[in-house]
């Protein structure tokens, strides 16, 4: 069973309200969701290996996504993740 953001403690209407609606309807793109989530959760501690895996996957997405906005969001996310890895203790 997968929990929605409204069922997970600490994630609720606040983050949900930050996610913008898409230009053609109420459902935001994956890129929009990722951008908002990263902006809201920048200080959450994670293992470096998880960040490295995300960088690998998002680098591929930045090169292959069909939607330019998703490519841009993936590339920006890669930059943020690499900066986080560089500044990690």
């Amino acid at each position: 069973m997968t929990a929605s953001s409204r069922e997970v403690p600490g994630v609720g209407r606040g983050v949900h309200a930050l996610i913008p609606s898409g230009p053609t309807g109420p459902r935001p793109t994956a890129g929009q969701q990722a951008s908002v989530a990263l902006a809201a959760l920048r200080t959450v501690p994670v293992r470096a290996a998880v960040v490295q895996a995300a960088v690998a996957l998002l680098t591929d997405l930045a090169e292959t996504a069909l939607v330019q906005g998703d490519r841009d969001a993936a590339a920006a996310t890669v930059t943020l993740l690499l900066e986080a890895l560089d500044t990690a203790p």
Side-chain angles (χ1 to χ4, degrees):
M1 181 175 155
T2 303
S4 74
S5 64
R6 292 177 188 231
E7 297 169 341
V8 177
V11 178
R13 289 182 291 170
V15 172
H16 182 72
L18 291 173
I19 299 173
S21 62
T24 60
R27 183 162 171 81
T29 68
Q32 290 170 322
Q33 291 177 22
S35 295
V36 171
L38 284 172
L41 305 172
R42 286 180 188 231
T43 60
V44 175
V46 295
R47 295 187 182 271
V50 172
V51 177
Q52 291 167 338
V55 166
L57 293 170
L58 288 167
T59 298
D60 183 63
L61 180 65
E63 296 170 357
T64 61
L66 298 177
V67 178
Q68 181 64 43
D70 291 347
R71 286 193 304 270
D72 294 342
T77 303
V78 166
T79 300
L80 290 172
L81 293 174
L82 291 173
E83 288 173 3
L85 284 171
D86 287 343
T87 60

